[in-house]
Amino acid sequence: MVMTRRRAALLVVAVCACAALPSTTTANKFSINWKPNTNYSDWPAQHGPFYKGDWLVFYYTAGQADVIQVDAAGYNTCDATNAISNYSKGRTYAFELNETKTYYFICSYGYCFGGMRLQIKTEKLPPPSPPAAAKDKSAAAFTASRASLFYAAAAAALAAILRMF
């Protein structure tokens, strides 16, 4: 009985501690079935927006396709001569969108002219929206006092649990 109460109390403290942590935004992973005779011109509009830190994972058949990062000129002319990066090993290629800019990818096996190319524009991650109740200063002060009350209650609960041991 005592162990059950202790476990329940620890669970409550753990939940309260997790609720008090600030929320974070994690990167998104976008899977691309990179295959010949497929036009990818609408793909970004269907799957975006894309943010700095997101990942593109290209899935393709080795020997039938590759993933070439090029500049805008290489993208527009399907020319891989001045490639920024070239990946043709294996069957998958994971690429991090680590800058806020436009990325260009093509296939150099001749399928680029049929639409096997991809243009991805990345954006900065938008800041989190303020709570709806915190739009005026009195609401913000009320929210801050509620947060202080929450932390005080969590500390009191933790102190009570520690006294049990």
Side-chain angles (χ1 to χ4, degrees):
M1 179 73 172
V2 174
M3 285 301 276
T4 304
R5 290 170 90 186
R6 287 181 183 169
R7 286 182 184 156
L10 286 173
L11 180 62
V12 168
V13 169
V15 169
C16 289
C18 289
L21 294 173
S23 63
T24 58
T25 304
T26 58
N28 296 308
K29 178 184 124 184
F30 297 94
S31 298
I32 305 165
N33 190 12
W34 192 242
K35 58 184 182 178
N37 303 316
T38 302
N39 189 324
Y40 292 91
S41 59
D42 292 336
W43 194 91
Q46 296 169 355
H47 296 86
F50 303 94
Y51 298 107
K52 179 181 174 182
D54 286 349
W55 286 83
L56 301 178
V57 181
F58 294 85
Y59 294 93
Y60 61 94
T61 303
Q64 292 184 2
D66 59 4
V67 181
I68 310 293
Q69 183 186 1
V70 295
D71 60 12
Y75 176 83
N76 291 328
T77 60
C78 291
D79 182 11
T81 304
N82 296 315
I84 297 168
S85 68
N86 177 341
Y87 195 82
S88 60
K89 299 174 185 167
R91 295 181 299 199
T92 61
Y93 176 55
F95 184 87
E96 182 181 10
L97 303 170
N98 56 10
E99 293 181 52
T100 303
K101 68 176 193 176
T102 302
Y103 291 88
Y104 303 94
F105 302 95
I106 65 171
C107 174
S108 69
Y109 281 56
Y111 300 110
C112 177
F113 296 105
M116 195 172 174
R117 59 185 182 167
L118 187 61
Q119 176 180 336
I120 301 288
K121 184 178 190 299
T122 57
E123 306 170 12
K124 284 185 181 178
L125 196 60
S129 301
K135 291 191 177 171
D136 63 344
K137 290 185 180 186
S138 62
F142 177 71
T143 302
S145 68
R146 283 180 52 197
S148 297
L149 182 61
F150 171 77
Y151 289 120
L158 180 59
I161 290 170
L162 291 175
R163 273 187 251 128
M164 284 196 264
F165 294 105

